[in-house]
Coordinates of all heavy atoms in Angstrom, one line a residue:
D4 N -30.2 -1.4 45.9 CA -29.5 -0.2 45.7 C -29.9 0.4 44.4 O -29.8 1.7 44.2 CB -28.0 -0.4 45.8 CG -27.5 -0.8 47.1 OD1 -28.1 -0.3 48.1 OD2 -26.6 -1.6 47.2
F5 N -30.2 -0.4 43.4 CA -30.5 0.0 42.1 C -31.5 -0.9 41.4 O -31.4 -2.1 41.5 CB -29.2 0.1 41.2 CG -29.4 0.4 39.8 CD1 -29.6 1.7 39.4 CD2 -29.4 -0.6 38.9 CE1 -29.8 1.9 38.0 CE2 -29.6 -0.4 37.5 CZ -29.8 0.9 37.1
L6 N -32.4 -0.4 40.6 CA -33.3 -1.1 39.7 C -33.4 -0.3 38.5 O -33.7 0.9 38.5 CB -34.7 -1.3 40.4 CG -34.8 -2.2 41.6 CD1 -36.2 -2.1 42.2 CD2 -34.4 -3.6 41.3
S7 N -33.2 -0.9 37.3 CA -33.2 -0.2 36.1 C -34.7 0.2 35.7 O -35.6 -0.4 36.2 CB -32.6 -1.0 35.0 OG -33.5 -2.1 34.6
E8 N -34.8 1.1 34.7 CA -36.1 1.4 34.3 C -36.8 0.3 33.6 O -38.0 0.2 33.5 CB -36.1 2.7 33.4 CG -35.9 4.0 34.2 CD -37.0 4.2 35.2 OE1 -38.2 4.0 34.9 OE2 -36.6 4.5 36.4
G9 N -36.0 -0.7 33.1 CA -36.6 -1.9 32.5 C -37.3 -2.8 33.5 O -38.1 -3.6 33.1
F10 N -37.2 -2.5 34.7 CA -37.9 -3.2 35.8 C -39.4 -3.1 35.6 O -40.1 -4.0 35.7 CB -37.5 -2.6 37.2 CG -38.1 -3.2 38.3 CD1 -37.6 -4.3 38.9 CD2 -39.3 -2.7 38.8 CE1 -38.2 -4.9 40.0 CE2 -39.9 -3.3 39.9 CZ -39.4 -4.4 40.5
R11 N -39.8 -1.9 35.2 CA -41.3 -1.7 34.9 C -41.8 -2.6 33.8 O -42.9 -3.2 33.9 CB -41.6 -0.2 34.6 CG -43.0 0.0 34.3 CD -43.3 1.4 33.7 NE -43.1 2.5 34.6 CZ -44.1 3.0 35.4 NH1 -45.3 2.4 35.3 NH2 -43.9 4.0 36.2
D12 N -41.0 -2.8 32.8 CA -41.4 -3.7 31.7 C -41.6 -5.1 32.1 O -42.5 -5.8 31.7 CB -40.4 -3.7 30.6 CG -40.2 -2.3 29.9 OD1 -41.2 -1.5 30.0 OD2 -39.1 -2.1 29.4
V13 N -40.8 -5.6 33.1 CA -40.9 -6.9 33.5 C -41.9 -7.1 34.7 O -42.8 -8.0 34.7 CB -39.5 -7.5 34.0 CG1 -39.6 -8.8 34.6 CG2 -38.6 -7.4 32.8
F14 N -41.9 -6.2 35.7 CA -42.7 -6.3 36.9 C -43.9 -5.5 36.9 O -44.8 -5.7 37.7 CB -41.8 -6.0 38.1 CG -40.9 -7.1 38.5 CD1 -39.6 -7.2 38.0 CD2 -41.3 -8.1 39.3 CE1 -38.8 -8.2 38.3 CE2 -40.5 -9.2 39.7 CZ -39.2 -9.2 39.1
G15 N -44.1 -4.6 35.9 CA -45.3 -3.8 35.9 C -45.4 -2.7 37.0 O -46.5 -2.2 37.2
A16 N -44.3 -2.4 37.6 CA -44.3 -1.4 38.7 C -43.1 -0.5 38.5 O -42.0 -1.0 38.0 CB -44.2 -2.1 40.1
P17 N -43.2 0.7 38.8 CA -42.0 1.6 38.7 C -40.9 1.2 39.6 O -41.1 0.8 40.7 CB -42.5 3.0 39.0 CG -43.9 2.8 39.6 CD -44.3 1.4 39.3
A18 N -39.7 1.3 39.1 CA -38.5 0.9 39.9 C -38.5 1.7 41.2 O -38.1 1.2 42.3 CB -37.2 1.2 39.1
E19 N -38.8 3.0 41.2 CA -38.8 3.9 42.4 C -39.7 3.3 43.5 O -39.3 3.4 44.7 CB -39.3 5.3 42.0 CG -38.5 6.0 41.0 CD -38.9 5.6 39.6 OE1 -40.1 5.4 39.3 OE2 -38.0 5.6 38.7
E20 N -40.8 2.7 43.1 CA -41.7 2.2 44.1 C -41.1 1.0 44.9 O -41.2 0.9 46.1 CB -43.0 1.7 43.4 CG -44.0 1.0 44.3 CD -45.2 0.6 43.5 OE1 -45.9 1.4 42.8 OE2 -45.5 -0.6 43.5
C21 N -40.4 0.2 44.2 CA -39.7 -1.0 44.8 C -38.4 -0.6 45.5 O -38.0 -1.3 46.4 CB -39.5 -2.1 43.8 SG -41.1 -2.8 43.3
L22 N -37.8 0.5 45.1 CA -36.6 0.9 45.8 C -37.0 1.5 47.2 O -36.4 1.2 48.2 CB -35.9 2.0 45.0 CG -35.1 1.5 43.8 CD1 -34.6 2.7 43.0 CD2 -33.9 0.7 44.3
K23 N -38.2 2.2 47.2 CA -38.7 2.7 48.5 C -39.2 1.6 49.4 O -39.1 1.7 50.6 CB -39.8 3.7 48.2 CG -39.2 5.0 47.6 CD -40.4 6.0 47.3 CE -39.9 7.2 46.5 NZ -41.0 8.0 46.1
D24 N -39.9 0.6 48.8 CA -40.5 -0.4 49.6 C -40.2 -1.8 48.9 O -41.1 -2.2 48.1 CB -42.0 -0.2 49.8 CG -42.6 -1.2 50.7 OD1 -41.9 -2.2 51.2 OD2 -43.9 -1.1 50.9
P25 N -39.1 -2.5 49.2 CA -38.8 -3.7 48.5 C -39.9 -4.8 48.6 O -39.9 -5.7 47.8 CB -37.5 -4.1 49.2 CG -36.9 -2.9 49.7 CD -38.1 -2.0 50.1
R26 N -40.7 -4.7 49.6 CA -41.8 -5.7 49.7 C -42.7 -5.7 48.5 O -43.3 -6.7 48.1 CB -42.7 -5.4 50.9 CG -41.9 -5.8 52.2 CD -42.7 -5.4 53.4 NE -42.9 -3.9 53.4 CZ -43.5 -3.2 54.3 NH1 -44.0 -3.8 55.3 NH2 -43.7 -1.9 54.2
K27 N -42.8 -4.5 47.8 CA -43.6 -4.4 46.6 C -43.0 -5.3 45.5 O -43.8 -5.8 44.7 CB -43.5 -2.9 46.0 CG -44.1 -1.9 47.0 CD -45.6 -2.0 46.9 CE -46.2 -0.8 47.8 NZ -47.6 -0.9 48.0
F28 N -41.7 -5.5 45.5 CA -41.1 -6.5 44.6 C -41.6 -7.9 44.8 O -42.1 -8.5 43.8 CB -39.6 -6.4 44.8 CG -38.8 -7.5 44.1 CD1 -38.6 -7.5 42.7 CD2 -38.4 -8.7 44.7 CE1 -37.9 -8.5 42.0 CE2 -37.7 -9.7 44.1 CZ -37.5 -9.6 42.7
L29 N -41.6 -8.3 46.0 CA -42.1 -9.7 46.3 C -43.6 -9.8 46.1 O -44.1 -10.9 45.7 CB -41.8 -10.1 47.7 CG -40.3 -10.4 48.0 CD1 -40.1 -10.7 49.5 CD2 -39.8 -11.6 47.1

Side-chain angles (χ1 to χ4, degrees):
D4 293 326
F5 173 80
L6 293 171
S7 75
E8 283 304 312
F10 182 86
R11 179 191 287 270
D12 295 336
V13 175
F14 283 90
E19 301 83 32
E20 179 180 299
C21 292
L22 284 169
K23 290 178 186 171
D24 184 359
R26 291 174 297 183
K27 300 281 186 190
F28 168 78
L29 287 175

